[in-house]
């Protein structure tokens, strides 16, 4: 399956993934199973009134996850005042939504460990992208911070999955980053008949993430479509926010804007009604939080 014909709506994306899983190259992609604790967390959070006791039980079931929550609660982003010393204090400081986000990140990282040198900073950058997405969601109307965080975390998850299950993919990574005559996903499709956007969306689909997240992961390289009527507005918003998050991360790392930003940054900012002044302010406000990750 290639990117010659892009799906338009959320339903189109979900249908495409279901069909591609039955036949074609996606049959041979090994998708790590969703961790049982993450499934329980999703079920607890999906209730009209989230089950706080269940979330707490899940958090306490893994010592390393509890330690991660404590570390997050005492980070510069949340660590005002006295340091928290118990898991209950940590969850109170973080709030339920951010507690769930930190737990999701921990569980996803454990389920998809990255050993390839080409992807050695994968989860660090995923955490930074997720943090930037959540930060922006709190400043943009009608955007769920939880959904934004999840998209930021899983946006490029197809990369480590393909690295683990597709022969020759690490060589493709090097080639795709070096070529200037075609896009990253075009090189992936030329070599493997699929790409990390499709595979990442399949992970999102099988892990039962929000449908808008699945569609946005699938379309995050289809930046020409930002603003088109055929694509659901919520998906446009996530994709546009993701482009801004990458730009803010690059600024934080002292890197020049990339090709995607030069070609599509203006359209993404217009879709989100974000100004250059907003970006400058957000960069300054995010600096300490990103430094801590």
């Amino acid at each position: 399956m290639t990117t010659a014909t892009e799906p338009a709506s959320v339903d189109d994306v979900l249908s495409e993934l279901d069909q591609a899983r039955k036949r074609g190259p996606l049959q041979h992609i090994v998708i790590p199973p969703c961790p049982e604790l993450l499934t329980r967390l999703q079920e607890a959070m999906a209730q009209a009134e989230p089950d706080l006791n269940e979330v707490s039980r899940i958090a306490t079931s893994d010592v390393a996850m509890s330690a991660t929550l404590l570390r997050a609660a005492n980070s510069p982003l949340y660590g005002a005042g006295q340091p928290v010393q118990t898991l209950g204090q940590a969850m109170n400081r973080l709030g339920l939504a951010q507690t769930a986000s930190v737990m999701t990140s921990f569980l996803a990282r454990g389920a998809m460990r990255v050993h390839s040198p080409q992807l050695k900073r994968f989860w660090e950058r995923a955490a930074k992208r997720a943090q930037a997405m959540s930060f922006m969601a709190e400043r943009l109307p009608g955007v769920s911070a939880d959904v934004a965080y999840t998209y930021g975390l899983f946006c490029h998850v197809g990369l480590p999955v393909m690295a683990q299950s597709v022969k020759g993919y690490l060589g493709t990574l090097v080639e795709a980053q070096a070529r200037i005559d075609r896009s990253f996903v075009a090189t992936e499709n030329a070599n493997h008949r699929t790409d990390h956007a499709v595979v990442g969306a399949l992970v999102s689909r099988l892990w039962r993430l929000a449908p808008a997240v699945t569609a946005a992961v699938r379309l995050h390289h289809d930046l020409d479509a930002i603003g088109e009527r055929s694509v659901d507005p919520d998906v446009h918003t996530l994709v546009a926010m993701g482009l801004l998050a990458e730009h803010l991360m690059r600024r934080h790392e002292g890197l020049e804007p990339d090709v995607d930003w030069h070609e599509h940054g203006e359209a993404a900012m217009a879709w989100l009604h974000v100004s250059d002044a907003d970006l400058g302010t957000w960069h300054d406000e995010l600096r300490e939080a990103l430094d801590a990750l």
Side-chain angles (χ1 to χ4, degrees):
M1 181 174 60
T2 70
T3 55
T5 55
E6 299 290 355
S9 69
V10 170
D11 287 342
D12 289 337
V13 169
L14 300 183
S15 177
E16 176 206 45
L17 292 170
D18 291 343
Q19 291 301 314
R21 189 60 170 164
K22 296 176 182 176
R23 56 182 179 271
L26 289 192
Q27 295 179 88
H28 309 295
I29 302 292
V30 179
I31 304 298
C34 183
E36 179 186 354
L37 290 178
L38 182 53
T39 299
R40 284 175 55 189
L41 178 63
Q42 291 170 334
E43 292 172 350
M45 294 297 294
Q47 299 180 26
E49 292 292 332
D51 188 338
L52 302 181
N53 290 329
E54 172 67 354
V55 174
S56 180
R57 284 192 293 270
I58 297 168
T60 57
S61 67
D62 187 299
V63 173
M65 183 157 55
S66 298
T68 299
L69 287 166
L70 283 164
R71 186 163 57 250
N74 285 316
S75 71
L77 191 60
Y78 301 99
Q82 293 294 320
V84 299
Q85 297 179 325
T86 69
L87 184 59
Q89 291 171 346
M91 293 175 65
N92 285 335
R93 178 171 287 181
L94 292 170
L96 180 60
Q98 188 59 25
T99 293
S101 293
V102 172
M103 293 166 65
T104 297
S105 178
F106 175 88
L107 292 166
R109 187 186 295 238
M112 287 178 277
R113 299 189 183 279
V114 177
H115 304 291
S116 309
Q118 295 89 335
L119 296 171
K120 63 182 179 180
R121 295 184 59 222
F122 177 82
W123 283 115
E124 174 191 336
R125 298 200 88 252
K128 289 184 176 182
R129 186 184 310 106
Q131 185 63 63
M133 292 285 294
S134 179
F135 172 91
M136 287 188 287
E138 294 173 354
R139 288 153 179 82
L140 294 171
V143 180
S144 162
D146 175 52
V147 169
Y149 184 99
T150 302
Y151 170 69
L153 187 68
F154 284 89
C155 179
H156 295 294
V157 77
L159 293 171
V161 172
M162 291 188 73
Q164 291 175 6
S165 65
V166 176
K167 184 178 180 180
Y169 184 71
L170 294 179
T172 296
L173 274 181
V174 175
E175 178 188 352
Q177 290 165 350
R179 296 191 71 138
I180 59 174
D181 60 325
R182 63 186 183 193
S183 69
F184 194 102
V185 293
T187 297
E188 290 179 309
N189 275 287
N191 292 355
H192 307 292
R193 295 175 46 228
T194 192
D195 58 64
H196 76 277
V198 175
V199 173
L202 183 61
V203 175
S204 179
R205 174 67 161 158
L206 296 180
W207 284 30
R208 299 183 181 179
L209 304 183
V213 170
T214 300
V217 171
R218 171 66 181 89
L219 300 174
H220 75 270
H221 278 290
D222 188 29
L223 297 171
D224 287 329
I226 291 177
E228 288 186 2
R229 290 186 176 184
S230 60
V231 180
D232 294 16
D234 290 347
V235 176
H236 276 314
T237 296
L238 288 175
V239 171
M241 288 174 65
L243 187 58
L244 265 67
E246 293 287 349
H247 179 64
L248 289 168
M249 289 163 59
R250 290 183 69 86
R251 285 185 63 176
H252 177 259
E253 295 168 354
L255 301 174
E256 293 295 320
D258 61 11
V259 173
D260 283 343
W261 181 257
H262 282 303
E263 294 183 356
H264 305 287
E266 185 175 341
M269 291 174 65
W271 175 263
L272 298 171
H273 303 289
V274 171
S275 67
D276 287 328
D278 293 328
L279 271 187
T281 300
W282 292 355
H283 170 255
D284 293 338
E285 293 176 348
L286 264 172
R287 183 181 295 114
E288 191 173 19
L290 295 182
D291 282 342
L293 294 172

